[in-house]
Amino acid sequence: MEKMAKIAVRGEFSFRQCLLSLPGPSKEALYTVEEDKVLRAVRTSTGPVLIEIKDGGENKPVVTVTGKGNYEEALDFAKQWFDLDYDPNSFYRMAAGDDILAGLQNDYRGLRLIGIPDLFEALCWSIIGQQINMSFAYKLKRNFVERFGEKHIYNGREFNIFPLPEIIAASSPAEIAEGGISRQKSRYIFGAAEEIASGRLNRKMLDDLRDFDEAKKRLIALKGVGDWTADYVLMKNSRYPEALPAGDAGLQNALKKRLGAEKKPSPAEIREMGKRWGSHKAYAVFYLWRSLSDG
């Protein structure tokens, strides 16, 4: 079964800019980026589906859902992934008047903050990526996904779906570590899996708090989750606009370049800069990350 929908988005949207911000297929284990589209298998309550997202003209993405799973859930996943319900125009107005961000709103106009709709995936990815280079992090993620995740075939092509927390909670830290993840991080991932599989933590709980500090406190209660990890998860999964992963190396490098500074700003200095960005901190971070790919 195949169904297609053209999504009416809020504010300016550039599918090209979104594609340029996604890593290539040699890195990412969960989706395939092609010249004019991205394909990804996703889990729904009634079974897996393949979603294809491409530009439908007039800056409106077209989402095609293939499979017997829940069409509405798949469509909602696509909207969350590409942040299609967000209107970036207020961010653009703020950025235009900011001496650090000015120009980014034009360079990457229409770019949305590409998220991670699944809380467990967001936690695992942020834990895996702690204090290692991104190439190695992507390799570890691929090993983890291929060992514990689901595989589905669509039109003769294989697609992975991120492991369920229940699967990881039924394994052990030692088994997780066999894929190359450090023993300490494996314990953290196992603990996060237990927390989510038991129902003690889910995205709705974080969303319902409606308070960034409380949501961050809840995540930091997990072993292995500190300031950076909590901010990253709240930025990419729960979409808290106040999230500012001030200790992020990429963010520090982007700001060093923008400021023409001799050294990278400290987390404390970045938090001070972030005060002027108000409720646009997360988008400021994402646009600064995007600027790194331009050399």
Side-chain angles (χ1 to χ4, degrees), residues 248-255 288-289 292:
D248 184 81
L251 176 60
Q252 291 172 329
N253 285 328
L255 285 167
L288 285 162
W289 281 342
L292 286 171

Side-chain angles (χ1 to χ4, degrees), residues 175-192:
E175 191 175 354
I176 296 168
E178 289 174 5
I181 298 172
S182 72
R183 286 179 291 179
Q184 185 178 50
K185 288 182 180 179
S186 295
R187 289 194 292 271
Y188 297 158
I189 289 170
F190 182 76

Side-chain angles (χ1 to χ4, degrees), residues 5-24:
K6 180 179 282 191
I7 308 297
V9 300
R10 299 178 62 197
E12 297 189 50
F13 175 79
S14 170
F15 187 66
R16 177 179 174 277
Q17 286 293 346
C18 290
L19 281 189
L20 289 173
S21 74
L22 294 172

Side-chain angles (χ1 to χ4, degrees), residues 159-178:
F159 293 87
N160 297 311
I161 298 182
F162 200 79
L164 283 165
E166 291 82 1
I167 296 296
I168 303 305
S171 66
S172 67
E175 191 175 354
I176 296 168
E178 289 174 5

Side-chain angles (χ1 to χ4, degrees), residues 4-248:
M4 183 178 71
K6 180 179 282 191
I7 308 297
V9 300
R10 299 178 62 197
E12 297 189 50
F13 175 79
S14 170
F15 187 66
R16 177 179 174 277
Q17 286 293 346
C18 290
L19 281 189
L20 289 173
S21 74
L22 294 172
S26 62
K27 292 183 177 180
E28 182 53 57
L30 294 173
Y31 51 85
T32 298
V33 178
E34 298 184 349
E35 184 176 350
D36 63 344
K37 62 186 175 183
V38 59
L39 301 112
R40 177 171 187 167
V42 300
R43 185 183 292 111
T44 77
S45 60
T46 56
V49 297
L50 179 72
I51 59 173
E52 174 194 280
I53 309 175
K54 63 189 306 181
D55 196 347
E58 300 177 348
N59 291 327
K60 293 180 180 179
V62 170
V63 180
T64 302
V65 179
T66 303
K68 297 180 179 179
N70 188 295
Y71 168 75
E72 295 298 334
E73 290 177 17
L75 208 59
D76 186 57
F77 183 98
K79 290 178 180 179
Q80 291 183 48
W81 187 18
F82 279 75
D83 206 17
L84 298 181
D85 288 331
Y86 175 77
D87 185 344
N89 287 325
S90 60
F91 164 66
Y92 293 153
R93 289 192 294 271
M94 182 279 294
D98 185 83
D99 57 359
I100 296 175
L101 302 176
L104 295 179
Q105 81 282 359
N106 294 323
D107 293 342
Y108 312 117
R109 205 161 194 87
L111 173 66
R112 298 303 177 91
L113 199 169
I114 308 299
I116 305 176
D118 177 71
L119 175 60
F120 183 55
E121 180 189 339
L123 277 166
C124 288
W125 177 230
S126 59
I127 290 169
I128 289 171
Q130 292 170 358
Q131 299 179 326
I132 61 175
N133 68 65
M134 292 303 292
S135 294
F136 186 44
Y138 277 115
K139 181 179 178 180
L140 293 178
K141 178 183 176 182
R142 180 175 292 277
N143 289 343
F144 182 72
V145 168
E146 291 182 347
R147 291 177 67 232
F148 295 104
E150 300 172 19
K151 292 180 173 61
H152 297 279
I153 306 295
Y154 295 94
N155 300 322
R157 300 172 64 179
E158 186 175 272
F159 293 87
N160 297 311
I161 298 182
F162 200 79
L164 283 165
E166 291 82 1
I167 296 296
I168 303 305
S171 66
S172 67
E175 191 175 354
I176 296 168
E178 289 174 5
I181 298 172
S182 72
R183 286 179 291 179
Q184 185 178 50
K185 288 182 180 179
S186 295
R187 289 194 292 271
Y188 297 158
I189 289 170
F190 182 76
E194 285 192 315
E195 195 76 1
I196 295 175
S198 69
R200 293 190 295 269
L201 176 66
N202 58 52
R203 178 175 173 174
K204 187 177 184 302
M205 291 176 184
L206 296 176
D207 292 346
D208 287 349
L209 287 172
R210 298 178 182 272
D211 181 278
F212 174 75
D213 291 333
E214 288 300 315
K216 186 171 179 177
K217 186 186 301 182
R218 177 65 184 88
L219 287 178
I220 289 177
L222 297 173
K223 287 185 178 179
V225 175
D227 278 339
W228 176 84
T229 302
D231 273 291
Y232 184 88
V233 171
L234 292 174
M235 171 184 172
K236 299 277 276 183
N237 176 258
S238 297
R239 300 290 188 181
Y240 275 93
E242 308 95 329
L244 178 66
D248 184 81

